[in-house]
Amino acid sequence: MSQAIQKTLRDSAAMRWTALLLLALAMFCSYIFMDILSPIKDLMLSERGWDSSAFGTMQGSEVFLNVFAFFLIFAGIILDKMGVRFTAVLSAVVMLVGAVIKWYAVTDAFIGTGLEAWFTNNLNYIPVFDELGVSPFYEGMPASAKFAACGFMIFGCGCEMAGITVSRGIVKWFKGREMALAMGSEMALARLGVATCMIFSPFFARLGGTISVSRSVAFGVVLLCIALIMTIVYFVMDKKLDAQTGEAEEKDDPFKVSDLGQILTSSGFWLVALLCVLYYSAIFPFQKYAVNMLQCNLTLEAPAADSFWAQPDVTIVQYIIMLLVAGFGFASNFQKKANSKYTLLTLSILSLITYCYMGYMRQSAESIFAVFPLLAVLITPILGSYVDHKGKAASMLVLGSLLLIACHLTFAFVLPLFNGSTVGGVIVAYATILVLGASFSLVPASLWPSVPKLVDAKIIGSAYALIFWIQNIGLWLFPLLIGKVLDKTNPGVTDPTQYDYTWPLIMLASLGVAALVLGLLLKVVDKKKGLGLEEPNIK
């Protein structure tokens, strides 16, 4: 019997890490599309007439159905009822459908159609939602922005469904093994999508000397087609695993509302869920404003048009170097020989320095912020491995909160002091962005692997769905709050590179303070109730 078990795919390190790679690459593609328009906000104004209100409303629409139509709760029920592989493929299809709609909305083909006329004349007032101030549309919003928002809503449903599915899939393939390392590695790879988006979205929009915003979105659509293929391959692998183990993918027991009661009565679950929303609300909304924040606080001068640093080919070279940083750093975590480990680490650090130098020479805020996930790629697997073998997940969440506070306060009070210093400001920006990315890596490495310790395996999909739903409330609310605080504290400012970001950054730092308090409380609850959050995953 033991010999038969050893022959399953799950017991093969190569196969379970292959399954993880398929899921991670699908999330990598979704992360790229999520912020595909963020680096080209200025072009959306000049090419499609989207002002900041239209752009911000469209961006916030991603989580609208998840929050207000409770789609994430239904996604968790689908996941528990239908299983990982069905939901993985479904989420990829939903993301692709939404992406295609958003792409068509920003193409030249949409202009002058009957569909454009319909969106111009309709959806200008949504009862109840308008009164509450949470409508995804408003009167005067460009038709292309309205239609793109519809597509982005659909994409957001698929994206968040994919998120809970990937978490559940990793639990299935890695429970009792290196689960925290797997979750950390998956998120580290997926977050490279942020850097990829920052680098390539402007590149495709300006490719060939002509501006076309739809090219950037088309790039994201192609990647989501690849993501769908990845999930289909995963479907085949996962089905074979169930055939080998005799496990049933579909649940025999129907979903009961009482199952949610088991989750909601867990104090440990609520602390983890609130920690999640605080962490993510301090990071993801910030990403949408980070490039503009750097433009406001750094002294950047565009390189001469005929210089090497102004050429489009530099984008490709810099991205290759970024992949070397991530590849060398990630691979170093899996080396048993010290010489190999430190050689790869050295190569990763040298590549990172080269990448930062190129970003400085390009004098591009987008290129500078693209460094955000690189240190996370290096240390997330290290942190995950530590949690697997040593534990201390709750303690790591406390450390992450402290780093979060420090980074946002540095952006608020230290970075502005270097405005006028070309080199000094960029160095402070790079260091703070890298540490912020590293602090965020503590979430997948320590928080997500803690959920299976808090709820029954049968309803873990619903548990992840509830956490993601709570998280989405923050992702909807805080981009709006940042914008409102920015407007209130910058009256009369018309130049988008002259905003004072002090108060929005203080607000984000306060989220870190709240997370710190909850992290300390979680340590107390864990010790009192014996939840096992400080214990290693591998025993």
Side-chain angles (χ1 to χ4, degrees):
M1 182 70 173
S2 175
Q3 187 175 4
I5 294 175
Q6 291 300 319
K7 293 180 180 178
T8 65
L9 294 178
R10 185 162 48 201
D11 289 289
S12 166
M15 296 309 293
R16 67 174 176 267
W17 283 95
T18 298
L20 176 74
L21 182 62
L22 292 169
L23 294 173
L25 286 174
M27 291 305 297
F28 169 81
C29 295
S30 72
Y31 268 57
I32 291 174
F33 194 85
M34 191 184 302
D35 278 319
I36 199 70
L37 294 181
S38 294
I40 56 172
K41 178 179 181 292
D42 56 332
L43 298 182
M44 297 310 299
L45 174 61
S46 61
E47 300 301 307
R48 291 294 177 267
W50 294 14
D51 58 15
S52 294
S53 295
F55 184 84
T57 304
M58 189 284 303
Q59 290 283 50
S61 68
E62 179 195 356
V63 298
F64 182 82
L65 292 178
N66 290 323
V67 173
F68 295 103
F70 303 99
F71 181 82
L72 261 175
I73 306 300
F74 295 117
I77 295 172
I78 292 170
L79 177 56
D80 283 333
K81 179 68 177 174
M82 303 303 295
V84 173
R85 58 177 177 266
F86 172 87
T87 313
V89 175
L90 177 62
S91 65
V93 171
V94 173
M95 282 194 293
L96 183 57
V97 169
V100 170
I101 293 173
K102 184 174 179 178
W103 165 75
Y104 179 66
V106 299
T107 62
D108 292 337
F110 178 73
I111 300 174
T113 63
L115 194 60
E116 183 189 33
W118 189 91
F119 273 94
T120 299
N121 298 323
N122 293 278
L123 300 180
N124 293 313
Y125 171 74
I126 310 295
V128 180
F129 288 103
D130 269 275
E131 278 74 15
L132 294 174
V134 298
S135 176
F137 314 108
Y138 62 86
E139 188 171 2
M141 185 176 181
S144 58
K146 288 181 185 175
F147 194 34
C150 292
F152 210 28
M153 287 181 204
I154 296 172
F155 167 83
C157 291
C159 187
E160 295 302 324
M161 184 191 294
I164 60 174
T165 303
V166 167
S167 298
R168 176 65 176 270
I170 293 174
V171 170
K172 179 176 181 177
W173 281 78
F174 285 88
K175 190 170 185 178
R177 297 173 176 84
E178 57 278 85
M179 184 165 64
L181 174 61
M183 286 193 172
S185 299
E186 178 271 325
M187 192 51 71
L189 177 58
R191 285 193 182 132
L192 281 178
V194 177
T196 303
C197 172
M198 293 295 168
I199 290 176
F200 278 108
S201 182
F203 172 79
F204 281 108
R206 296 182 172 93
L207 189 63
T210 59
I211 294 177
S212 173
V213 294
S214 64
R215 275 199 301 260
S216 295
V217 184
F219 166 64
V221 171
V222 171
L223 291 177
L224 289 175
C225 291
I226 296 173
L228 176 58
I229 295 172
M230 296 289 183
T231 57
I232 292 172
V233 175
Y234 174 82
F235 183 102
V236 175
M237 285 186 63
D238 196 78
K239 189 171 184 179
K240 185 174 181 181
L241 173 64
D242 284 351
Q244 290 176 331
T245 62
E247 297 175 359
E249 174 69 6
E250 288 76 23
K251 301 292 180 285
D252 293 325
D253 297 333
F255 176 84
K256 303 185 183 72
V257 176
S258 59
D259 291 339
L260 293 179
Q262 298 176 35
I263 301 172
L264 298 177
T265 53
S266 168
S267 59
F269 167 83
W270 276 110
L271 288 172
V272 167
L274 292 174
L275 273 167
C276 176
V277 71
L278 291 170
Y279 265 112
Y280 278 74
S281 295
I283 299 291
F284 280 131
F286 171 70
Q287 282 179 194
K288 300 185 184 302
Y289 291 87
V291 172
N292 185 234
M293 185 275 294
L294 292 176
Q295 291 170 338
C296 294
N297 288 291
L298 296 178
T299 302
L300 300 173
E301 297 179 3
D306 59 348
S307 72
F308 169 74
W309 301 107
Q311 304 308 309
D313 293 345
V314 179
T315 301
I316 307 297
V317 175
Q318 193 177 18
Y319 188 67
I320 291 173
I321 294 174
M322 187 197 79
L323 293 180
L324 292 177
V325 176
F328 288 140
F330 189 76
S332 69
N333 292 284
F334 300 92
Q335 303 302 309
K336 297 189 191 253
K337 294 181 180 179
N339 288 340
S340 299
K341 182 181 184 69
Y342 290 116
T343 297
L344 289 171
L345 277 174
T346 301
L347 290 172
S348 180
I349 292 171
L350 291 174
S351 299
L352 178 60
I353 293 172
T354 304
Y355 175 90
C356 291
Y357 173 75
M358 293 187 71
Y360 167 73
M361 293 302 294
R362 293 185 67 191
Q363 291 287 286
S364 163
E366 299 96 327
S367 183
I368 291 171
F369 185 71
V371 80
F372 174 68
L374 295 188
L375 190 58
V377 173
L378 173 61
I379 72 166
T380 302
I382 297 174
L383 297 172
S385 181
Y386 185 87
V387 172
D388 283 329
H389 293 90
K390 302 293 184 180
K392 305 298 181 183
S395 299
M396 284 194 175
L397 292 173
V398 171
L399 175 61
S401 302
L402 290 170
L403 293 176
L404 197 64
I405 297 167
C407 288
H408 283 309
L409 291 180
T410 299
F411 284 133
F413 298 108
V414 179
L415 185 60
L417 299 177
F418 289 85
N419 199 339
S421 173
T422 306
V423 177
V426 172
I427 290 175
V428 172
Y430 269 135
T432 311
I433 292 167
L434 284 167
V435 173
L436 183 65
S439 72
F440 195 37
S441 69
L442 290 160
V443 177
S446 53
L447 190 150
W448 294 123
S450 300
V451 178
K453 297 178 180 180
L454 302 174
V455 298
D456 188 88
K458 172 179 170 290
I459 54 173
I460 195 170
S462 297
Y464 277 125
L466 277 172
I467 290 178
F468 274 60
W469 180 71
I470 296 169
Q471 167 195 315
N472 270 240
I473 295 175
L475 298 186
W476 163 77
L477 176 63
F478 280 94
L480 297 178
L481 288 179
I482 293 173
K484 289 181 181 299
V485 172
L486 207 55
D487 285 339
K488 288 290 185 182
T489 55
N490 291 273
V493 176
T494 57
D495 185 346
T497 64
Q498 298 300 316
Y499 284 118
D500 180 354
Y501 269 83
T502 303
W503 284 106
L505 289 166
I506 290 175
M507 179 179 69
L508 295 175
S510 69
L511 296 178
V513 174
L516 175 62
V517 173
L518 289 179
L520 294 172
L521 184 58
L522 182 63
K523 284 174 64 71
V524 173
V525 172
D526 174 61
K527 186 174 182 180
K528 182 178 179 180
K529 296 192 174 183
L531 300 176
L533 299 182
E534 294 284 85
E535 297 177 5
N537 293 322
I538 300 175
K539 301 179 181 179

